[in-house]
Amino acid sequence: MESEGDSNNLSGVQHIILVLSGKGGVGKSTISTEIALALRHAGKKVGILDVDLCGPSIPRMLNVHNMNVHQCDSGWVPVFVDQEKSISLMSIGFLLERPDDAVVWRGPKKNALIKQFISDVAWGELDFLIVDTPPGTSDEHISTVEALRPFRPMGAVLVTTPQAVSIGDVRRELTFCKKLGLPVIGIVENMSGFVCPHCTECTNIFSKGGGEELAKYAGVPFLGCVPLDPSLTQTLELGKDFLQEFPKSSTYTSIVSIAQQILDKASDSSS
């Protein structure tokens, strides 16, 4: 049953998007961060909920890893990334005593914190809430989807890399979404080629097109490819906004195109 706190804290959120993948190391946190920044550049107010409890990397990617969350009458106040308060973030990274502390918890404790994150964070008014998840299809994912179900999530963005192993794992993630009744917004192929920092030519180090083929096979939209770009990696390491720093790059075009398709989908679902 939906609690009063649940209703109050998520009632101002228009669209909820989960970022999923069947395996680790495919760049879910990178895609979550860049989608959030692209939506912010499109004039939207965005929240990011980082439920990757064992690998909370988004606070560093947004250069707020030294910040703390505070309590208010409605629960936790998320950390605001910018002065305009257009991006807010909640992560277990803000709750650890030391940044190098490992989260050595059994499933029930993780699931309880995930439910608390969903019910007890005072998001306020948001156009989008991006939920960055851990890899896999474990009980943590089930807890996240079930806790969000009363608020009718817009759907999931699935992240893969071009290799067959990754695509096979994401195929299982598609089955997970189907079993839980979670709509799939589309598939993103990350690390799709390498952008040379000198000549900007893109070389397919792994392979290319697997994500698009998977989307066709599954009958879901293919949102686009994001290449391995040293400029993107560097801005994430430094906690800078890649889209602001490199607006002429092909990677910028890819990320903005993905965000625009999400905006179009949100507009269609609202009309």
Side-chain angles (χ1 to χ4, degrees):
M1 185 175 176
E2 185 181 326
S3 73
E4 184 178 351
D6 289 343
S7 177
N8 288 342
N9 282 336
L10 283 172
S11 61
V13 178
Q14 298 300 313
H15 304 286
I16 299 172
I17 297 171
L18 291 90
V19 180
L20 303 171
S21 181
K23 68 185 277 87
V26 300
K28 286 187 306 301
S29 295
T30 295
I31 297 301
S32 296
T33 299
E34 295 307 317
I35 287 175
L37 290 169
L39 292 172
R40 191 268 299 272
H41 283 290
K44 303 301 180 182
K45 197 168 184 180
V46 187
I48 307 174
L49 176 57
D50 182 4
V51 296
D52 190 348
L53 303 184
C54 295
S57 53
I58 292 183
R60 179 170 290 278
M61 290 179 174
L62 291 172
N63 198 28
V64 290
H65 50 287
N66 293 321
M67 303 288 283
N68 296 311
V69 295
H70 302 284
Q71 290 277 348
C72 69
D73 291 341
S74 302
W76 281 314
V77 178
V79 168
F80 294 103
V81 174
D82 53 1
Q83 291 183 344
E84 295 79 16
K85 298 184 177 181
S86 56
I87 295 186
S88 51
L89 170 65
M90 185 63 196
S91 169
I92 195 175
F94 299 132
L95 306 179
L96 301 175
E97 288 188 15
R98 294 176 297 273
D100 294 334
D101 284 350
V103 178
V104 187
W105 293 354
R106 295 188 183 275
K109 191 172 181 181
K110 289 182 180 179
N111 294 339
L113 181 61
I114 288 171
K115 290 175 182 176
Q116 191 174 0
F117 272 171
I118 291 170
S119 64
D120 293 350
V121 178
W123 293 107
E125 299 291 326
L126 293 178
D127 295 301
F128 290 91
L129 177 63
I130 310 295
V131 183
D132 182 45
T133 67
T137 55
S138 65
D139 56 346
E140 295 164 56
H141 299 79
I142 297 171
S143 293
T144 302
V145 174
E146 290 297 336
L148 289 170
R149 191 182 301 282
F151 310 103
R152 299 180 181 178
M154 178 177 160
V157 171
L158 306 187
V159 182
T160 186
T161 54
Q163 302 99 309
V165 171
S166 176
I167 290 166
D169 289 335
V170 175
R171 188 178 288 117
R172 284 184 279 276
E173 196 76 42
L174 283 162
T175 305
F176 169 84
C177 292
K178 186 174 181 180
K179 285 184 175 180
L180 290 187
L182 181 64
V184 175
I185 297 169
I187 294 175
V188 173
E189 183 178 291
N190 195 27
M191 306 181 195
S192 180
F194 170 75
V195 176
C196 175
H198 304 294
C199 68
T200 68
E201 182 179 345
C202 188
T203 304
N204 295 324
I205 295 178
F206 304 120
S207 57
K208 187 177 176 65
E212 188 168 9
E213 288 183 18
L214 177 59
K216 288 179 181 177
Y217 165 82
V220 300
F222 179 65
L223 300 178
C225 299
V226 178
L228 276 168
D229 189 331
S231 299
L232 175 57
T233 304
Q234 184 180 29
T235 54
L236 289 169
E237 290 284 340
L238 297 174
K240 294 185 177 180
D241 183 346
F242 169 79
L243 300 175
Q244 190 172 38
E245 300 276 330
F246 298 96
K248 296 183 179 180
S249 72
S250 59
T251 306
Y252 169 96
T253 304
S254 298
I255 294 168
V256 169
S257 173
I258 291 166
Q260 185 58 54
Q261 291 175 76
I262 291 172
L263 286 167
D264 292 343
K265 180 83 172 177
S267 178
D268 290 343
S269 65
S270 298
S271 59

